[in-house]
Amino acid sequence: MVCQTILDTLFRILSILTAEISEATFGLTPSEYARFKQLKRENLRDHMTDLELIFSMLGEAATTEIARNRDAQGFPRTGSARAGGSGWQSPQGSGNEEWS
């Protein structure tokens, strides 16, 4: 029961981070992008062009590298690493100033 709760929490965090990286890369969350591509239940990555896959991987790799370099621990700091990977600058007062 505890393990399932932890897995559910990790899955939610991963989903949120994936959506943020996708939105920073393409301007759309994965579900919005799937609707744009008129997909029903198909895997979005299976229907991406080579360039779309490259940009997705680049956004993920940049976020991972920034998180490692900043020793990001926990969701808020990892989320701020995503912001750095996308080139997005956090507005002042957002709580992410330590990473700007």
Side-chain angles (χ1 to χ4, degrees), residues 65-84:
E65 188 66 24
I66 290 166
R68 283 186 186 140
N69 287 338
R70 294 179 177 171
D71 194 27
Q73 302 291 320
F75 178 70
R77 289 187 178 172
T78 306
S80 69
R82 186 274 316 158

Side-chain angles (χ1 to χ4, degrees), residues 14 24 29 37 42 66-67 84 86 97:
L14 180 61
T29 64
K37 288 187 160 272
E42 301 91 345
I66 290 166
S86 69
E97 292 81 14

Side-chain angles (χ1 to χ4, degrees), residues 32-96:
E32 292 169 338
Y33 205 41
R35 277 194 300 274
F36 171 75
K37 288 187 160 272
Q38 299 177 343
L39 303 177
K40 301 287 185 224
R41 299 190 59 125
E42 301 91 345
N43 186 314
L44 178 59
R45 287 189 185 241
D46 290 343
H47 295 274
M48 287 184 166
T49 66
D50 289 345
L51 285 176
E52 289 170 325
L53 288 169
I54 289 167
F55 286 124
S56 292
M57 292 169 58
L58 181 61
E60 293 163 1
T63 299
T64 300
E65 188 66 24
I66 290 166
R68 283 186 186 140
N69 287 338
R70 294 179 177 171
D71 194 27
Q73 302 291 320
F75 178 70
R77 289 187 178 172
T78 306
S80 69
R82 186 274 316 158
S86 69
W88 179 81
Q89 297 297 315
S90 64
Q92 288 188 335
S94 69
N96 292 328

